[in-house]
Amino acid sequence: MGEFSDHTVQLYQDEADVVDALERFSAGGLAVGQAVVVIGTQPRWHALTARLRAGGVDTHAALLRGQLRPFGARVILSSCMSHGVPDRLAFNEAIGGIFGLMRMRYPGLRVFTGLSDILWSEGKREAAETIERFWNALPDSSSLSLLCACPLD
């Protein structure tokens, strides 16, 4: 089973709470030379990059050097699901591929994931919990900080 350097769950009622946490998480990683992966939605990505730029982060440069990478949460989810149920092997392959790509240049890695957030919001609570278990079971997660979002309802 994986052991994270840091695994945080951001509970939220308002989207601004998630974006605030995501901005702090991402800016902190970029400042210390870590890679930042954002597995989320386009609106969240746009809100994050606007906030980072407003805070003085050159997001364009971070994207060009591969230190900051967006991945569509729905695309990742579609590759990790089999007949509406999360598939561990597919999840490990998709996430492992992202990690491998990022760690080629940046050994320290911060990942924001909205996968469980989307599933939970769609009423697929069991699938969301399964995805969280998959994150917790990832091998080689010792240099990984993970931020997950989950709505309060």
Side-chain angles (χ1 to χ4, degrees), residues 28 46 109 147 149:
H46 291 303
L109 181 58
L147 175 62

Side-chain angles (χ1 to χ4, degrees), residues 76-95:
I76 300 295
L77 271 176
S78 70
S79 71
C80 296
M81 303 289 278
S82 177
H83 307 289
V85 177
D87 179 285
R88 182 185 300 271
L89 179 60
F91 176 87
N92 287 349
E93 287 177 3
I95 299 304

Side-chain angles (χ1 to χ4, degrees), residues 28 64 121 129:
L64 286 177
S121 296
E129 292 169 0

Side-chain angles (χ1 to χ4, degrees), residues 24-39:
R24 287 189 305 272
F25 182 75
S26 300
L30 293 170
V32 298
Q34 294 177 323
V36 176
V37 169
V38 178
I39 302 172

Side-chain angles (χ1 to χ4, degrees), residues 2-153:
E3 187 174 318
F4 294 97
S5 297
D6 184 30
H7 184 173
T8 304
V9 176
Q10 175 66 47
L11 301 174
Y12 71 95
Q13 290 182 317
D14 185 339
E15 183 65 19
D17 296 336
V18 177
V19 176
D20 288 345
L22 180 53
E23 176 194 8
R24 287 189 305 272
F25 182 75
S26 300
L30 293 170
V32 298
Q34 294 177 323
V36 176
V37 169
V38 178
I39 302 172
T41 61
Q42 272 192 338
R44 211 170 260 173
W45 170 254
H46 291 303
L48 169 65
T49 55
R51 290 269 194 95
L52 289 172
R53 283 192 302 272
V57 175
D58 186 346
T59 57
H60 182 71
L63 283 162
L64 286 177
R65 67 179 172 264
Q67 187 181 9
L68 177 62
R69 293 272 179 131
F71 292 89
R74 292 199 181 276
V75 172
I76 300 295
L77 271 176
S78 70
S79 71
C80 296
M81 303 289 278
S82 177
H83 307 289
V85 177
D87 179 285
R88 182 185 300 271
L89 179 60
F91 176 87
N92 287 349
E93 287 177 3
I95 299 304
I98 292 169
F99 286 7
L101 173 71
M102 299 305 290
R103 285 187 169 148
M104 286 174 25
R105 296 183 70 190
Y106 300 96
L109 181 58
R110 291 189 183 206
V111 177
F112 167 79
T113 173
L115 299 178
S116 297
D117 185 15
I118 289 171
L119 292 168
W120 191 270
S121 296
E122 292 176 350
K124 300 174 182 172
R125 309 269 165 110
E126 190 173 321
E129 292 169 0
T130 299
I131 290 289
E132 282 301 310
R133 283 194 298 276
F134 290 176
W135 281 111
N136 289 329
L138 280 174
D140 191 27
S141 56
S142 59
S143 63
L144 171 69
S145 292
L146 182 66
L147 175 62
C148 300
C150 187
L152 289 171
D153 38 31

